[in-house]
Amino acid sequence: PGYVQNEIETCVLTLSRAPHLVHCHLLATEPWLRTPKATSVTLYPLADSGATLLTVNLHAVNFSFGVEAYRGQLNQAAALIRSHEGPVIFGGDLNTWSNKRQGVVDSLADELGLIPVPFSPDHRTTQFGKPLDHLYVRGLAWQSTETQAVSTSDHNPLLVTFRREDS
């Protein structure tokens, strides 16, 4: 959960057919609006293995001078990813509407060994001609990727089928 305004709840949503081992939330505060920005962190067991999959679904800070608050929120998630030895899915509404913001994400992805997942055709929500929503992975390969235009959210879902790189 994020926050409720005018009886409308904001949130991040990660769907899985597998039950999770651990689920927790991180919160950051939007510098101008003072509203919470939610991050959902989930750990899943991987079949036929003692390994686990870490997912980090983040709704990034949007309205700030510069990128320090933005970088700070992403660094919280990065600390969890750094400490995880198995496969990782990192993404969400990263609010990458500027080259500077995308640069922060690209640098972090490079440092953490995360690879961007491509979408074609690409129906991701954009601002200033730049996609806001992203998925990055480590230790996984994608078999299919899809975006769907919906009217139930201001962001279109990213649908991906993954497989472990070692399988």
Side-chain angles (χ1 to χ4, degrees):
Y3 65 95
V4 177
Q5 185 174 28
N6 299 327
E7 298 181 19
I8 297 173
E9 183 177 12
T10 69
C11 62
V12 295
L13 178 63
T14 303
L15 297 174
S16 171
R17 290 184 180 103
H20 59 269
L21 296 170
V22 176
H23 182 235
C24 65
H25 298 279
L26 301 175
L27 287 178
T29 302
E30 187 74 51
W32 287 3
L33 303 177
R34 308 305 303 162
T35 55
K37 291 294 189 178
T39 300
S40 177
V41 180
T42 315
L43 195 64
Y44 295 97
L46 292 174
D48 304 323
S49 162
T52 56
L53 167 68
L54 175 68
T55 67
V56 179
N57 187 349
L58 187 140
H59 185 192
V61 164
N62 197 17
F63 303 105
S64 63
F65 287 115
V67 294
E68 290 316 304
Y70 183 74
R71 186 185 327 259
Q73 182 189 19
L74 291 174
N75 281 336
Q76 276 188 313
L80 295 171
I81 295 168
R82 274 186 207 98
S83 68
H84 184 71
E85 293 184 19
V88 174
I89 301 171
F90 167 70
D93 177 0
L94 301 185
N95 279 317
T96 50
W97 45 260
S98 73
N99 290 337
K100 200 167 201 175
R101 285 169 166 263
Q102 186 64 59
V104 170
V105 173
D106 291 344
S107 292
L108 190 67
D110 286 346
E111 175 203 334
L112 298 171
L114 299 170
I115 299 167
V117 175
F119 294 92
S120 179
D122 192 345
H123 299 291
R124 291 179 292 171
T125 301
T126 61
Q127 188 66 38
F128 306 119
K130 300 178 183 313
L132 301 178
D133 303 311
H134 301 271
L135 283 179
Y136 293 83
V137 297
R138 182 178 75 199
L140 298 170
W142 50 92
Q143 294 177 298
S144 64
T145 67
E146 178 183 353
T147 57
Q148 293 180 349
V150 298
S151 59
T152 53
S153 174
D154 60 340
H155 291 265
N156 294 323
L158 312 179
L159 305 167
V160 182
T161 301
F162 292 109
R163 66 172 173 74
R164 292 194 331 229
E165 282 186 335
D166 60 0
S167 60

